Each structure stands twice: as structure tokens, then as C-alpha cells.
Amino acid sequence: MSGRAAEPPPDATLRRWEREQAQLKASVVEEDTEEWQKDSSFAGLERVGGVDLSYIKGDDISACASLVVLSYPALEVLYEDCRMVAVSAPYVAGFLAFREVPFLVEAVQRLQQEEPKLKPQVLLVDGNGLLHPRGFGVACHLGVLTDLPCIGVAKNLLQVDGLVRNELHREQIRSLQREGDTFPLTGTSGRVLGMVLRSYNNSSKPLYISAGHRVCLETAVRLVKSCCRYRIPEPIRQADIRSREYIRKQLCSPLEVISSEPESRKEEAEMDD
């Protein structure tokens, strides 16, 4: 298949996107807002959602947007929505939301119309929240537009506010000996932007957790850990698996499928490591 890529946006578009992020950021709530969030065992939490976009390798325009809802704490799939979409915005670092969030908002709206009783009480998002150059990553963006609690779960460190993948950072990662171990991501501003979590004993690769909307960082980390059977929390893992499978069935082809974040395009096996 010949490669297809969305055209890079003009500077005027990037400036408009920055203004929109700044306007929406004013609506972000960085604290817990739900009763279940305040309970040590999350009593009252029954449905956890996960979202993901998967692409065909070499084609940055055709994608599958996936929303799944899992029961909690059993983590059984209650609902799934996979749709092929035509992505018009290119990937630009710091502006992933403008490429992917419109399709995820539509998926949440369809769920609310078709199965309102299965509406998730929180969404886990494959990307960053407050850990972002302008403090407004994809998990914040989706949270504000849907008014759902959202958590950013990234597989790689976004290097902002002085955070770098240097030897000190790698040493801190090595210090995470057991699943559940964490250390904070403190920027040069002095602000804690996220938390590094070892989510699974069998994987030394951590996750980078950040609050998105209507959840505090401590609650976000506890919830993500409780949703991990493998390295990737089950709501995102299931959204990813099902979006990849949907593309393969639609194309009747074993074409290689990749995940949404260009910097974290991974082999299928990584989902279980």
C-alpha cells in the first residue's frame, strides 16, 4: 500500500489550536469530583472506559477509533464501538487531540445515545493529560469535551518542563522493583506533572500517568494500577486489541497495524509484556 499522510497544518492553524487549548484548559478540574474516587477500594465504581486509535502502517489517514467499557473490578468487556474514520489532521507533537479527539467524542456520544446505562464513570486515555507542553494533553481535552473523569496513560516520557530521559531518569526507573512502585515527575517549575508507575512485575517498562480531568494524580495512579493485568491497563489494552482486529477484518488482510502515538508504535507482543 502506498503511504498516505495528512498535510502539515499552516502556522495559523497551530496558533488557533494553541488558543483553543488555552481556552479549554480553563475548564480542567484537577481534583476528584466523584464519591467512588474518595473510597480506598473505589466502592461505587462499576464501569471503566478505554479509548484508542489504530492506524494501518504507511497510511496516516485511515484509522479505527475504538471505545470499550469494562466492568469494575472484574474488567470484563461490557461494550465496544469500533469505527473506521478518515483522519484529516496530521500528527503534530503537542496537538494529538486535534487529530484524534473528535472521533473519540463521537464514540462517547453514540454510547450515551444507544446504551446510556453503560456510560463509563472514568476514561483511560492512551496519551498524556497535564503532562504536556501547555498543560493540556489529549486526556484533558477529551475530559473537558465529554465532561467525564479522564486519566492520561502514556508509554513514553514526554520531555517537558525540564523532564528528560537521562541517566538519572533511567536509574529511577531501575529503582522500581515491584509492581505498584512509583516516583513523581517533578518539572523544573517545581510542579509534579505526573507519576511513573511500574504496573506489572514482568515488565520493567513503566507507565507515565497524569491527571486529565476531574481526578487527582494520586487517584489516577491507584486506579490505573488496579486495572492492570499486564503492563497496559485493561481498558486501553482492550480498546487497542479490538481496534487492530477490526481493521484486519475490514481489510481481510494481515496488514501491520500500529497504535495512535507515533513515538510509541509497538509490536503486538508489547501489549502483554
Side-chain angles (χ1 to χ4, degrees):
M1 174 177 292
S2 59
R4 297 196 301 165
E7 292 293 322
D11 289 344
T13 298
L14 294 179
R15 290 194 294 271
R16 176 170 56 82
W17 285 354
E18 285 188 5
R19 289 194 300 271
E20 186 171 335
Q21 285 179 328
Q23 291 166 356
L24 292 173
K25 182 182 177 182
S27 298
V28 170
V29 177
E30 299 181 30
E31 298 98 33
D32 293 338
T33 61
E34 309 303 301
E35 285 303 313
W36 61 262
Q37 295 169 328
K38 300 165 188 175
D39 185 273
S40 61
S41 61
F42 296 127
L45 177 60
E46 298 177 347
R47 297 172 307 282
V48 180
V51 293
D52 188 57
L53 259 73
S54 291
Y55 297 82
I56 304 162
K57 188 173 185 180
D59 184 347
D60 285 342
I61 294 176
S62 299
C64 177
S66 173
L67 163 67
V68 299
V69 181
L70 276 59
S71 63
Y72 188 90
L75 301 178
E76 297 174 345
V77 176
L78 303 174
Y79 173 93
E80 71 172 281
D81 179 335
C82 294
R83 301 282 179 102
M84 294 302 298
V85 297
V87 178
S88 57
Y91 173 77
V92 181
F95 297 100
L96 177 65
F98 294 94
R99 177 170 170 82
E100 300 191 346
V101 160
F103 307 112
L104 302 177
V105 170
E106 289 174 3
V108 171
Q109 291 172 341
R110 280 195 299 271
L111 168 57
Q112 291 174 326
Q113 292 167 2
E114 298 169 7
E115 298 281 358
K117 293 181 179 179
L118 295 180
K119 178 182 175 180
Q121 293 162 276
V122 60
L123 281 174
L124 272 56
V125 182
D126 183 8
N128 291 289
L130 297 174
L131 180 58
H132 180 270
R134 287 169 296 283
F136 193 74
V138 62
C140 299
H141 207 127
L142 183 60
V144 169
L145 293 184
T146 61
D147 197 32
L148 287 172
C150 280
I151 298 171
V153 183
K155 294 175 286 294
N156 293 283
L157 175 65
L158 189 60
Q159 301 187 50
V160 299
D161 195 14
L163 298 172
V164 290
R165 280 194 299 261
N166 55 16
E167 183 54 36
L168 173 60
H169 183 74
R170 288 188 286 270
E171 181 59 35
Q172 289 175 307
I173 290 174
R174 287 191 289 270
S175 75
L176 304 176
Q177 295 297 309
R178 298 178 304 276
E179 61 182 55
D181 286 354
T182 62
F183 67 84
L185 288 166
T186 306
T188 54
S189 64
R191 187 176 184 196
V192 176
L193 301 175
M195 195 75 72
V196 183
L197 167 70
R198 181 164 181 163
S199 58
Y200 184 51
N201 271 336
N202 290 356
S203 175
S204 60
K205 297 177 183 177
L207 296 175
Y208 296 86
I209 313 301
S210 55
H213 182 53
R214 293 178 56 187
V215 62
C216 75
L217 181 58
E218 179 186 359
T219 299
V221 173
R222 283 199 301 120
L223 181 61
V224 169
K225 174 62 188 74
S226 74
C227 289
C228 287
R229 290 176 175 166
Y230 303 98
R231 178 194 175 210
I232 308 299
E234 203 64 13
I236 293 176
R237 182 173 173 271
Q238 288 298 328
D240 178 86
I241 289 171
R242 289 161 193 264
S243 61
R244 291 164 181 257
E245 187 59 28
Y246 188 85
I247 288 177
R248 292 189 180 101
K249 287 180 178 177
Q250 290 293 305
L251 299 178
C252 300
S253 167
L255 285 170
E256 186 174 350
V257 184
I258 55 179
S259 69
S260 59
E261 296 177 80
E263 64 272 21
S264 65
R265 292 176 175 176
K266 70 271 185 188
E267 298 299 325
E268 187 106 27
E270 185 183 336
M271 298 305 295
D272 290 333
D273 73 1

